[in-house]
Amino acid sequence: QVYKHQLTMLKVIVRATSFDATDSWGKIKKITIMSPHDAVEIDLKSDEVSYTGGAAQMILMDTPMELDITPVEIGSVMCAPDVKYNVIVESEKSYVRDVNVVLKTSAGQALSSANDAKGKYFIINLYFNSFNDIDANGELLKWNEEYEDLNG
């Protein structure tokens, strides 16, 4: 029996698309990722995996920070796999945005099932524009130089 990694790693990077966007948003106060489940159950005899429980809120940051046009890594989490995640962003100017981030393959196609995200590593890029909107994408990265899947 070979151990297979059952979680997905998400790293969040933020940047303003212009200096006008930094002024428009002000400081970012909080970023939260919503995961579809808060527990993983693994039956070691049958290798059956199930994700249970309600949605999990994972707070990546809750200390105000200035937006910059240079990308800034906010943090990363390991969570239940899914094809998309909601990222909730709060700014000091009372903006709250719920951003839907779709995860994509290395070919740029949307994942077809949560199983496609198991053992994978994604960067979630959040681009803050001056119209008080956030463009987002979920980009697949390699865990190491050889494999894009932690399971090899």
Side-chain angles (χ1 to χ4, degrees), residues 5-152:
H5 205 289
Q6 301 299 322
L7 299 177
T8 299
M9 182 172 178
L10 304 174
K11 182 191 294 186
V12 176
I13 295 177
V14 301
R15 70 175 288 202
T17 58
S18 67
F19 289 112
D20 287 341
T22 61
D23 294 338
S24 178
W25 281 90
K27 291 182 179 179
I28 301 303
K29 291 183 359 183
K30 187 175 184 181
I31 296 178
T32 305
I33 293 180
M34 300 298 294
S35 178
H37 304 286
D38 62 2
V40 178
E41 295 178 5
I42 302 172
D43 183 328
L44 297 176
K45 290 181 182 178
S46 67
D47 282 341
E48 293 288 321
V49 178
S50 61
Y51 302 92
T52 61
Q57 291 186 8
M58 297 166 285
I59 298 172
L60 285 182
M61 70 161 267
D62 62 357
T63 302
M65 65 162 266
E66 298 283 347
L67 266 177
D68 196 345
I69 60 171
T70 304
V72 175
E73 181 181 327
I74 297 301
S76 57
V77 296
M78 296 291 285
C79 56
D82 202 358
V83 296
K84 65 182 179 179
Y85 293 87
N86 283 21
V87 179
I88 300 168
V89 177
E90 299 176 32
S91 83
E92 73 175 348
K93 295 203 175 178
S94 300
Y95 300 125
V96 176
R97 296 290 184 271
D98 188 346
V99 182
N100 188 22
V101 181
V102 175
L103 301 184
K104 297 187 177 180
T105 67
S106 54
Q109 302 296 319
L111 298 184
S112 58
S113 78
N115 283 335
D116 295 338
K118 286 182 185 178
K120 301 272 191 328
Y121 171 36
F122 296 88
I123 295 270
I124 293 178
N125 294 294
L126 301 176
Y127 301 97
F128 293 75
N129 67 36
S130 59
F131 305 107
N132 300 321
D133 288 324
I134 302 171
D135 294 318
N137 65 40
E139 174 186 345
L140 177 64
L141 294 181
K142 291 185 174 187
W143 279 100
N144 57 43
E145 290 180 19
E146 192 173 351
Y147 299 110
E148 72 180 26
D149 189 323
L150 182 61
N151 296 315

